[in-house]
Amino acid sequence: MVHALTLNAGSSSLKFGLFELGDGRGDPTPRILGEIDRIGSQPHMRATREDGSVLSDAPLPAEDAADHAGALARALDLIARERPHAQLRAVGHRVVHGGPEHAAPARLTPEVLADLATLEPLAPLHQPHNLAGVRAALAAFPDAVQVACFDTAFHRHHPWVNDTFALPRAYYDKGVRRYGFHGLSYDYISGRLAEIAPHLHSGRVIVAHLGNGASMCGMIGGRSIASTMGFSALDGLPMGTRSGQLDPGVVLYLMEQEGMSVAEISDLLYRKSGLLGLSGLSNDMRRLEEADTDAAREAIAYFVFRIRRELGALAAALGGLDALVFCGGIGENSVLIRHKVCEGMGWIGLELDDARNARGETLVSTDLSRVRVLVIPTDEEIVIARAARDMLGRVG
Ligand code: ADP
């Protein structure tokens, strides 16, 4: 039976998925979903079957997963034990940055891989790890069709005013642009909306992807018009440990007055800020909701305030609003955050139904609300699996 493997390689983690492709026409069926984290230090593998039953939840010997190639080998061992007859004909990779050119998934050839390596300076914390995963899989499966799926691709057709900064134009030409990220999630939500509510999909929609990483995207007709993330995955909303939007003057101040190095500022903005920095407690929304401290409440208040501000800004960019979609770990699960974001939004025609919200239904707005509010669990893995299936269909 023909299968596709999906891989999402982070700095010290490797998420993997095994999908059955059937006749190549229907949606890929997930069979195994797993993750190895703490690669290189104390690796641990978790994996489940499609029915949620646990296949693995155990530490691995450090030397067995010392790098991404080792981790991939361990994931493949597990897949071979569980599905010995799976033919792996396609591999789909999540790659954070596709640069200005890639508006669709790309087949991974040595030339494309070399081109993607030149984008490493644009996403130094993610791209090198993504490409380490690609190299490991190219070595393990030299005959499989391999495809890169970019977080930036979904936004590549947004208008120029949402693509540029007001810097001298030479910087735009060098690639200093508002790329936007979380594209696989937005792609999934756009497709799902087309299935369950086509009249909304064709309209003006804001999707709030609220997880450890968080961003919002304004779409018309299922295509990105504007998003809160820009040149890097730091911009826009505050996140678990990332600052979100920041006056660039703050960075100049940190350099000039505090004498901080690039590495120190990067560490501050990516790892010590956001909900963690504001609360002094945790980057985890569940813990903040449970915590009874003023700082935790203020961290939540700031998170909500920035979402509401961006909601207004994106609605203006779209020329109005027909639907708001929540997704991501917080967007899908937090009754409190959805409530706070939607509170008092009658001015834009949005009214949350608190009972539906508490039950976590798909439609959580009232019947009278002109703006529909939906909760749609996102699925980035299936987007990668579909791209692998499509590429295999074209070239395999
Ligand atoms: P990532 O961006 O790493 O994929 P997720 O989308 O898994 O992150 O989101 C993780 C976030 O979702 C964490 O802050 C977690 O606390 C939050 N979360 C998950 N379940 C709940 C819940 N029931 N209530 C509030 N927050 C939740």
Side-chain angles (χ1 to χ4, degrees), residues 263-284:
E264 286 167 337
I265 295 175
S266 173
D267 190 45
L268 176 76
L269 300 184
Y270 276 98
R271 298 199 182 90
K272 296 189 174 143
S273 299
L275 295 173
L276 174 66
L278 284 174
S279 70
L281 179 70
S282 174
N283 63 321
D284 191 302

Side-chain angles (χ1 to χ4, degrees), residues 75-96:
L76 294 175
D77 290 345
L78 178 125
I79 288 171
R81 275 201 311 277
E82 175 68 11
R83 296 238 148 203
H85 304 299
Q87 295 172 41
L88 278 177
R89 299 269 313 280
V91 185
H93 299 266
R94 181 181 192 169
V95 176
V96 69

